[in-house]
Amino acid sequence: NAGVMQNPRHLVRRRGQEARLRCSPMKGHSHVYWYRQLPEEGLKFMVYLQKENIIDESGMPKERFSAEFPKEGPSILRIQQVVRGDSAAYFCASSPDVELTEAFFGQGTRLTVV
Amino acid sequence: DQQVKQNSPSLSVQEGRISILNCDYTNSMFDYFLWYKKYPAEGPTFLISISSIKDKNEDGRFTVFLNKSAKHLSLHIVPSQPGDSAVYFCAASPILTGGGNKLTFGTGTQLKVEL
């Protein structure tokens, strides 16, 4: 019974490159959430997706960031032209539905921009 | 605008004693509250939750209390064990009012349980 799987665990990118973070939700879960944790801060909501739909992207920066959750395959958080300020831990969570269920988190991807 | 606040960045407790972690919120739309535990380099692990229709929920050594009028919740761990040493995050969502399962997190409290 695999949990939420994120890969890679660590990602190093040079400024200006693209970062692609992957998240496979738990089996049977159709809701995916992405959160970002900057150093010394709590987790901040970025985006909420269901299969092929973005439900709430109110926490996503307006530029360079995008997310998708295709019908087949993992959810992808994509950061174009990365800058040093994008260095953070990015966590994915999934839940089976929105009815009073806790979200289960993956182990995160630690992005370092050099 | 910090809608969920954990004012104590750290807490030290002796093994066997009670740990009390506090959390305040400002958004009246929040109606579902959760506590997560996090070890370094790992994702948050769900501990316990409470909906706004209750004022207490208990699960083993963990009890969460909710005071809606004060917009305050607390997590009690008794007895505390060294393995409880971690960062504890309080989180809230407007799920019952249709706001989805989007969580707003506090900044965390580092609990250290000493022998």
Side-chain angles (χ1 to χ4, degrees), chain A residues 9-104:
Chain A
R9 289 292 308 277
H10 301 275
L11 182 61
V12 179
R13 284 287 177 266
R14 295 186 185 280
R15 281 178 293 170
Q17 291 185 319
E18 178 180 288
R20 290 171 70 89
L21 288 63
R22 294 175 185 77
C23 169
S24 296
M26 286 181 70
K27 187 176 180 181
H29 287 194
S30 57
H31 301 253
V32 165
Y33 312 82
W34 285 93
Y35 292 83
R36 175 166 67 173
Q37 184 181 24
L38 294 169
E40 308 301 322
E41 294 188 14
L43 284 78
K44 296 279 199 282
F45 169 80
M46 298 182 75
V47 62
Y48 163 34
L49 310 105
Q50 293 180 28
K51 285 285 186 182
E52 300 183 281
N53 285 306
I54 296 174
I55 307 302
D56 182 345
E57 57 181 347
S58 57
M60 287 279 269
K62 294 286 186 286
E63 297 176 348
R64 301 186 299 108
F65 285 72
S66 62
E68 63 176 4
F69 188 17
K71 187 177 180 181
E72 301 290 338
S75 176
I76 306 286
L77 178 67
R78 183 182 176 204
I79 312 172
Q80 296 178 293
Q81 298 173 347
V82 296
V83 301
R84 289 229 169 99
D86 297 332
S87 295
Y90 292 82
F91 293 97
C92 169
S94 72
S95 66
D97 55 45
V98 293
E99 299 298 327
L100 287 182
T101 55
E102 69 274 11
F104 292 86

